[in-house]
Structure formats: structure tokens, C-alpha cells
Amino acid sequence: ETTALGTDEDSAGEGTLVPGRVVSGGLFPQGDTDTYAFAGQAGQVSDGRLEAEDFDAYAELVAGGEVIAVDDDGGEGFNALLDDFVLPLTGTYLVVVHAYGDAGVGSYQVEGAPQEAPWTLVGNLGSGTVEGALEGAWDIHFYTFSVAQLTQVELDLGSAEFDAYLTLYVGQ
């Protein structure tokens, strides 16, 4: 099938992303967006790559009707890259392909690929002290905890051997 340059090649609706497979498309006319669906599992780690030579690539990741991640220039040059993104829900995700500011036209390639989790789920935090040991330079430990109501929580992380840092993620 051949699509004339300057016409909307995806007017039939959203496409499908298959892990590890590169999909080629085009944004025509100016202001066009293309949407690709894929199934994901809560806690799955995924990469999304959008590359274009003709325009500044901008990608959105949508779940449950809400934009949960965006990237403009996380890849090389003006390309988009959602790197090691942890999917928060089990269900259908949409990748929306844009030109930045919806101000460009041209061809692109988009790819989504599941990754091995870069972290280890260690357990659930309660009150008190938890001790652990990281095995390698890129080792990440992931702990969960929940609170039933709005409350103040204090988390401290320290190490005498390396510069430790803590990231807090909110989710269900």
C-alpha cells in the first residue's frame, strides 16, 4: 500500500506496537498525531523510542485516558526516549506520536520494548529500621509501603560506603 506524501496515512485509527518491532509512520498534514496501542502489566519496565529526521519528535504515554509520561528530546538529537519506564497499571497503553508543538511533518520510526527490571522488589516497609546491601553499581532496591489516610511519613536513607539517594513514587 502506498500513501501519498502529505496525506494522513493512519486515518483508519490507532496502530499496534509489538515489543521489539520498529513501526514506520508519518505525520501528515501539520498538526497530525499518530497513536499506537500495546498491552502492559503493572510493574513491567519498558522503553519507548521515537525517531524522526524531519521534525522534533515528541511522545506521550497514555493510560486510562491520562497522560502519564512525555518526552521531547530524551533520545539523540531531537528524538524522544522513554527509558526504563515502570508501567503503573495492567491494561492497554497508548503511545501518541507528535511533532513538538504539532509544528512539523515527515516520517518517523517508533518502537516499544519490554526490559528486564533494573530493580529488585525487596519487600514492604513498616515502622522501624530496614537494612540491606546493594550487590553492584547499578543495583536498585524497591520497597513498598502504604498509608490509609493523609499522614506524615519520614524516610531516611544513608550509607557510609556510597552517596545514597531515595526516590519516592506515588501509585496504587
Side-chain angles (χ1 to χ4, degrees):
E1 177 181 338
T2 303
T3 303
L5 189 62
T7 61
D8 190 3
E9 87 292 352
D10 66 332
S11 58
E14 68 190 35
T16 302
L17 279 182
V18 176
R21 183 177 298 162
V22 176
V23 176
S24 295
L27 295 182
F28 304 105
Q30 187 168 327
D32 183 29
T33 63
D34 290 353
T35 303
Y36 297 91
F38 70 94
Q41 300 291 318
Q44 178 182 0
V45 180
S46 187
D47 286 348
R49 178 177 60 83
L50 171 60
E51 296 181 350
E53 291 183 15
D54 301 326
F55 59 88
D56 184 357
Y58 182 82
E60 294 178 339
L61 182 61
V62 177
E66 298 289 327
V67 175
I68 60 170
V70 297
D71 189 77
D72 177 23
D73 296 330
E76 283 192 35
F78 294 109
N79 294 312
L81 177 66
L82 293 170
D83 191 30
D84 289 337
F85 188 82
V86 180
L87 302 178
L89 309 166
T90 296
T92 301
Y93 288 83
L94 302 175
V95 174
V96 183
V97 174
H98 294 263
Y100 183 76
D102 292 330
V105 296
S107 339
Y108 64 83
Q109 294 79 45
V110 63
E111 177 182 20
Q115 303 296 320
E116 290 296 319
W119 42 264
T120 303
L121 180 58
V122 177
N124 194 25
L125 292 178
S127 296
T129 301
V130 175
E131 292 187 21
L134 300 176
E135 303 298 323
W138 298 105
D139 197 11
I140 300 170
H141 284 183
F142 186 76
Y143 294 87
T144 61
F145 73 94
S146 60
V147 293
Q149 60 189 26
L150 184 61
T151 186
Q152 183 174 348
V153 176
E154 182 177 331
L155 300 171
D156 293 314
L157 176 67
S159 173
E161 299 174 26
F162 58 90
D163 184 16
Y165 72 93
L166 178 117
T167 304
L168 181 63
Y169 298 98
V170 177
Q172 298 190 59

